């Protein structure tokens, strides 16, 4: 029997997807099954893990129906999944709670605020590598223990979304270091569960699964799972990884000196480092290859363009039209600045930050306002990129851009010039699926190393180089942007008091 395919599974917020990937890293076919978020009340967001499994089964069956001989050709299965979704199962493998709070669920905000009030950053940063935030499963578990004690009591294992799918495939439980590192419960120095952090939240270590390597073989497809999915019983299943570090891998961002810019609704800037960067305004995730991804999330990335389309253009222009209009303005937008904090900031003492234009003059037109939006996101990204690179003690050689913002040549050139670093975009936009394939190919010995698999699977479009004239202009503007960022913070509380 020839085994020349890899099955990649991606348990996302909007859908469960499955893909068949060949030995060169090319995606042959993708199938998806959508699922919805449940919003019981404002600020909450849940999904039903059983629907993830049903969607995964449907996606796999769609693939196998399209390629009837594929089941016997699958060499290994690797899954990634949305982070922080907190799944509770009992000792018999049944769900202890029908729904799981998701990464964007804010119900733990009061618990987080109380924790921050009771603990200085020195109490937790050196252990967790991360500041507190409602996203982390540690706080979700504390809420569940208090608000749904019966479900918590019956819980034998706490799993993340892809771990739940892996459990249904193999009957085995484990969590990778990527998901564990963003739980607020893992010791970032030892990559083991931190007894001190677990106890500080009043939780139980026994409920947490073993932390294993992403490339480890977790188990094999059981007869029962084979009957449900159509897969070959005995097919190896990897531990897999959290979706963000797997996507970093699948975009080639897997060694120090490389950075990532993921601009969708938000903008996530990540710098690969050998150790976590301990700062109350920087998060850290353990990467697949054994490094750390220090990252800052700018809540307003592409959302700034969406806002402009509605507020400035009354939806008369589409996104491409806004980019065309922005291109009519000169680099630097005639001295106009935009601070892109339309929905505040994720971390730090000024989460109530506001957006603003600064430097408006009579000669400015809509094109200047549009371009200033793009440049403001670039200045904010550059500020974070520069801070993380300095804290990591390294020079960033290249930035890999993905998601919707990577589709705009103008925005890529603006960012390359603001960062003064070349930017590349992967040919294959499905970085998570490619990352799953690279993990499986390395785990099964098709490549002698994970880096070898990445080098073979990840291909890039032509490099976007900084424009020398734009670099000079933006270098003069960046200190003004940074000063505006700092000085505006003294006004945010006063603005809130006006409400």
């Amino acid at each position: 029997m020839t085994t020349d395919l890899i099955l990649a599974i991606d348990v996302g917020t909007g859908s469960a997807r499955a893909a068949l990937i060949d030995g060169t890293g090319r995606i042959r076919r993708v199938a998806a099954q959508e699922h919805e978020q449940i919003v019981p009340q404002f600020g909450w967001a849940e999904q039903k893990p059983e629907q993830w499994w049903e969607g995964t089964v449907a996606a796999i069956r769609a693939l196998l129906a399209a390629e009837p001989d594929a089941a016997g050709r699958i060499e290994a299965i690797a899954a990634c999944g949305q982070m922080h979704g907190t799944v509770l199962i009992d000792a018999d493998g049944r769900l202890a709670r029908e729904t799981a709070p998701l990464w964007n669920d804010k119900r733990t905000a009061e618990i987080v605020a109380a924790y921050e009030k009771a603990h200085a950053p020195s109490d937790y940063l050196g252990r967790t590598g991360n500041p507190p935030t409602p996203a982390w499963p540690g706080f979700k578990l504390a809420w569940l223990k208090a608000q749904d004690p019966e479900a918590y009591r019956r819980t034998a294992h706490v799993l993340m979304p892809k771990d739940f799918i892996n459990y249904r495939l193999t009957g085995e439980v484990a969590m990778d270091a990527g998901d564990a590192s963003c739980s607020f419960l893992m010791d970032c120095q030892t990559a083991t569960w931190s007894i001190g952090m677990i106890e500080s939240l009043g939780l139980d270590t026994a409920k947490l699964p073993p932390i294993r390597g992403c490339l480890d073989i977790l188990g094999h497809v059981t007869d029962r799972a084979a009957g449900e999915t159509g897969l070959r019983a005995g097919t190896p299943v990897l531990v897999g990884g959290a979706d963000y570090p797997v996507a970093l891998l699948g975009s080639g961002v897997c060694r120090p000196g490389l950075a990532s810019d993921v601009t969708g609704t938000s903008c996530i800037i990540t710098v690969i480092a050998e150790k976590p960067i301990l700062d109350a305004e920087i998060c850290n995730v353990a990467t697949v290859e054994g490094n750390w991804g220090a990252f800052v999330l700018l809540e307003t990335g592409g959302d700034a363009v969406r806002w402009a389309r509605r507020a400035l253009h009354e939806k008369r222009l589409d996104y491409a039209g806004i980019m065309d209009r922005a291109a009519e303005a000169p680099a630097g937008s005639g001295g106009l600045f935009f601070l892109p904090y339309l929905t505040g900031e994720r971390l730090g003492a000024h989460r109530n930050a506001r957006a603003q234009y600064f430097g408006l003059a009579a000669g400015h037109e809509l094109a200047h306002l549009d371009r200033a939006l793009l440049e403001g996101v670039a200045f904010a990204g550059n500020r974070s990129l520069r801070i993380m690179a300095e804290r990591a003690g390294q020079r960033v050689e290249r930035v890999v851009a993905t998601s919707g913002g990577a589709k705009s040549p103008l925005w890529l050139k603006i960012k390359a010039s603001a960062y003064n670093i070349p930017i590349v975009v992967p040919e294959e936009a499905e970085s998570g699926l490619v990352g799953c394939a690279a993990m499986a190919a390395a785990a099964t010995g098709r490549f002698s190393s994970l880096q070898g698999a990445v080098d073979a699977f990840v291909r890039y479009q032509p490099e976007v180089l900084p424009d020398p004239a734009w670099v000079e202009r933006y270098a003069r503007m960046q200190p003004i942007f940074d000063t505006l960022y700092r000085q505006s913070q003294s006004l945010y509380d006063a603005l809130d008091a006006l409400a």
Side-chain angles (χ1 to χ4, degrees), residues 368-380:
H368 295 89
L369 272 66
D370 288 336
R371 184 174 185 123
L373 285 169
L374 306 181
E375 292 174 339
V377 173
F379 288 139

Side-chain angles (χ1 to χ4, degrees), residues 198-337:
I198 292 166
E199 291 178 348
S200 76
L201 289 171
L203 303 174
D204 303 286
T205 306
K207 297 181 186 295
L208 301 176
I211 299 174
R212 297 184 58 184
C214 296
L215 274 62
D216 288 356
I217 300 300
L218 171 67
H220 299 79
V221 174
T222 63
D223 290 339
R224 178 176 179 177
E228 290 188 72
T229 62
L231 293 167
R232 172 174 52 87
T235 304
V237 179
L238 276 64
V239 169
D243 61 356
Y244 190 57
V246 171
L248 288 174
L249 181 77
S251 66
V253 183
C254 55
R255 64 171 176 80
L258 297 178
S260 168
D261 177 323
V262 180
T263 300
T265 299
S266 60
C267 178
I268 307 175
I269 303 293
T270 306
V271 171
I272 302 299
E274 293 180 353
K275 297 179 181 179
I277 297 174
L278 304 182
D279 186 295
E281 297 186 22
I282 297 173
C283 295
N284 294 274
V285 62
T287 58
V288 176
E289 79 285 349
N291 289 303
W292 285 85
F295 67 96
V296 172
L297 189 147
L298 177 65
E299 297 276 16
T300 301
D303 206 34
V305 184
R306 183 178 293 110
W307 172 82
R309 182 172 181 262
R310 173 181 56 81
L312 301 182
H313 297 281
E314 297 180 332
K315 297 186 178 180
R316 290 191 295 266
L317 291 180
D318 59 14
Y319 296 112
I322 292 173
M323 294 297 173
D324 290 341
R325 180 67 65 85
E328 297 172 3
S333 304
L336 181 62
F337 289 83

Side-chain angles (χ1 to χ4, degrees), residues 91-416:
D92 296 320
R94 295 186 295 263
L95 287 166
R97 194 170 189 271
E98 184 183 21
T99 59
L102 302 182
W103 58 274
N104 55 342
D105 187 288
K106 302 293 195 301
R107 75 185 68 187
T108 63
E110 292 184 4
I111 298 175
V112 172
Y115 191 92
E116 288 179 306
K117 187 175 182 180
H119 297 85
S122 58
D123 292 344
Y124 52 78
L125 275 180
R127 288 189 283 182
T128 68
N130 280 307
T133 171
W136 303 151
F139 294 106
K140 289 177 167 59
L141 282 173
W143 187 94
L144 290 166
K145 181 180 180 181
Q147 302 298 325
D148 196 348
E150 177 59 21
Y152 185 85
R153 182 191 64 78
R154 291 192 294 112
T155 297
H157 305 291
V158 178
L159 303 176
M160 295 298 102
K162 63 95 177 49
D163 304 326
F164 177 73
I165 298 303
N166 285 342
Y167 173 74
R168 295 295 292 267
L169 287 170
T170 68
E172 303 290 339
V173 297
M175 190 182 299
D176 74 295
D179 267 326
S181 68
C182 288
S183 66
F184 209 64
L185 302 175
M186 190 189 92
D187 189 316
C188 64
Q189 307 299 327
T190 63
T192 59
W193 296 118
S194 169
I195 303 301
M197 293 307 302
I198 292 166
E199 291 178 348
S200 76
L201 289 171
L203 303 174
D204 303 286
T205 306
K207 297 181 186 295
L208 301 176
I211 299 174
R212 297 184 58 184
C214 296
L215 274 62
D216 288 356
I217 300 300
L218 171 67
H220 299 79
V221 174
T222 63
D223 290 339
R224 178 176 179 177
E228 290 188 72
T229 62
L231 293 167
R232 172 174 52 87
T235 304
V237 179
L238 276 64
V239 169
D243 61 356
Y244 190 57
V246 171
L248 288 174
L249 181 77
S251 66
V253 183
C254 55
R255 64 171 176 80
L258 297 178
S260 168
D261 177 323
V262 180
T263 300
T265 299
S266 60
C267 178
I268 307 175
I269 303 293
T270 306
V271 171
I272 302 299
E274 293 180 353
K275 297 179 181 179
I277 297 174
L278 304 182
D279 186 295
E281 297 186 22
I282 297 173
C283 295
N284 294 274
V285 62
T287 58
V288 176
E289 79 285 349
N291 289 303
W292 285 85
F295 67 96
V296 172
L297 189 147
L298 177 65
E299 297 276 16
T300 301
D303 206 34
V305 184
R306 183 178 293 110
W307 172 82
R309 182 172 181 262
R310 173 181 56 81
L312 301 182
H313 297 281
E314 297 180 332
K315 297 186 178 180
R316 290 191 295 266
L317 291 180
D318 59 14
Y319 296 112
I322 292 173
M323 294 297 173
D324 290 341
R325 180 67 65 85
E328 297 172 3
S333 304
L336 181 62
F337 289 83
F338 179 73
L339 268 65
Y341 303 103
L342 289 165
T343 54
E345 292 199 84
R346 175 67 60 93
L347 299 171
H350 301 283
R351 297 175 187 176
N352 59 341
R354 304 289 183 90
Q356 62 174 294
Y357 280 105
F358 176 81
L360 272 170
H364 286 120
E365 299 180 353
L366 265 178
H368 295 89
L369 272 66
D370 288 336
R371 184 174 185 123
L373 285 169
L374 306 181
E375 292 174 339
V377 173
F379 288 139
N382 186 48
R383 177 183 173 275
S384 298
L385 185 65
R386 188 179 65 248
I387 290 171
M388 289 188 289
E390 289 174 356
R391 293 293 302 275
Q394 64 185 43
R395 183 178 69 85
V396 175
E397 305 162 7
R398 176 181 282 187
V399 174
V400 178
T402 57
S403 199
K407 297 176 182 178
S408 167
L410 173 63
W411 211 353
L412 290 175
K413 187 176 178 182
I414 286 172
K415 288 181 176 181

Side-chain angles (χ1 to χ4, degrees), residues 80-102:
C80 66
Q82 55 173 301
M83 300 179 71
H84 318 319
T86 307
V87 184
L88 309 182
I89 64 172
D90 65 19
D92 296 320
R94 295 186 295 263
L95 287 166
R97 194 170 189 271
E98 184 183 21
T99 59
L102 302 182

